[in-house]
Amino acid sequence: MVQAFSITDIGKRRKLNQDYVFVSVSPIGALPNLFIVADGMGGHNAGDYASKYTVEMIERQIRESELREPVSILDEAICRANDYIRSMAREDIHLSGMGTTVVAATLEQAGLQVANVGDSRLYIANEKEIRQITRDHSLVEEMVRMGGIDRVTARSHPDRNIITRAIGALDTVEADFFQVDLYPGDIILLCSDGLTNMLEDEEIRRIVTGTGSLSEKGKQLVCAANDNGGRDNIAVILINPFADQDEE
């Protein structure tokens, strides 16, 4: 049995919540379950439009897809969502330049399948460690990979919010895909950068693997991010893939 909890929060500095989440522990089309975080960007109303309608388009496309392989299903849905957002931006000047990050995951017997575009993240946390599975599509991440700056400097770099890939940015979009093996004790976290820019990974791990229910932990993450400044919207999905074993 899979348990999941999701929450979004406007944070302390923003006037609009442009983060959007989707959770289904029941099948969506050929996928056994589906979890999505999207962090929108753009002018007034455009960012929240981009994240909301991207997630809704991905869900609808997955429901209608005739494909059966998870990576192919997710890839098709993300590309269709990109086409839709680009089309809407061309038709309405108020939506011009809108876009969104997406991190999506589905749990199956072979493990966890993950797709991401942008800098929203998926982590696996347990009592020993926290691992970032996705790789940020950001200017600062590229600088880290090339050896220009280290991870510590990257956290406070003034260009850390500049992303290099997004849904809606170009006529075509390329998602990265990851397959992850899971083990008892693992907790899955999907989140926007409103969480990770406010909290160190180890602080996230302590909350995620601490005492309390998934909902209590999710709310603790939001509160901690806000206590540290809450400079952006915050989106969190927590998943316990081994909830039935924990209850034994």
Side-chain angles (χ1 to χ4, degrees), residues 62-174:
I62 290 172
R63 288 187 186 276
E64 297 175 354
S65 179
E66 296 181 358
L67 300 173
R68 288 294 175 264
E69 199 275 320
V71 170
S72 299
I73 294 170
L74 289 167
D75 191 36
E76 177 187 55
I78 288 169
C79 289
R80 293 288 177 86
N82 188 73
D83 292 344
Y84 178 73
I85 295 301
R86 294 285 289 176
S87 175
M88 293 299 100
R90 286 192 296 267
E91 294 175 6
D92 187 342
I93 191 172
H94 299 292
L95 301 178
S96 178
M98 71 175 175
T100 184
T101 70
V102 163
V103 57
T106 185
L107 281 158
E108 55 174 0
Q109 289 185 346
L112 182 69
Q113 296 285 355
V114 184
N116 90 289
V117 178
D119 63 355
S120 293
R121 296 177 177 177
L122 185 144
Y123 289 89
I124 304 294
N126 55 47
E127 291 186 355
K128 294 182 179 180
E129 64 177 356
I130 182 168
R131 291 183 293 141
Q132 181 182 337
I133 302 303
T134 53
R135 292 192 297 267
D136 295 352
H137 299 136
S138 69
L139 180 62
V140 167
E141 179 64 20
E142 294 296 332
M143 295 167 68
V144 171
R145 290 179 195 170
M146 294 175 66
I149 60 174
D150 58 28
R151 291 285 175 194
V152 175
T153 304
R155 286 193 58 82
S156 58
H157 195 282
D159 294 332
R160 65 187 179 279
N161 293 325
I162 298 177
I163 61 175
T164 55
R165 284 192 222 174
I167 302 291
L170 299 171
D171 286 338
T172 60
V173 65
E174 181 182 357

Side-chain angles (χ1 to χ4, degrees), residues 184-200:
D186 285 347
I187 299 292
I188 303 161
L189 167 66
L190 291 78
C191 61
S192 63
D193 66 348
L195 181 75
T196 54
N197 282 341
M198 295 294 99
L199 299 178
E200 298 282 353

Side-chain angles (χ1 to χ4, degrees), residues 24-45:
S24 176
V25 296
S26 301
I28 302 291
L31 299 184
N33 43 63
L34 182 62
F35 311 94
I36 309 173
V37 164
D39 179 359
M41 57 191 179
H44 181 64
N45 290 336

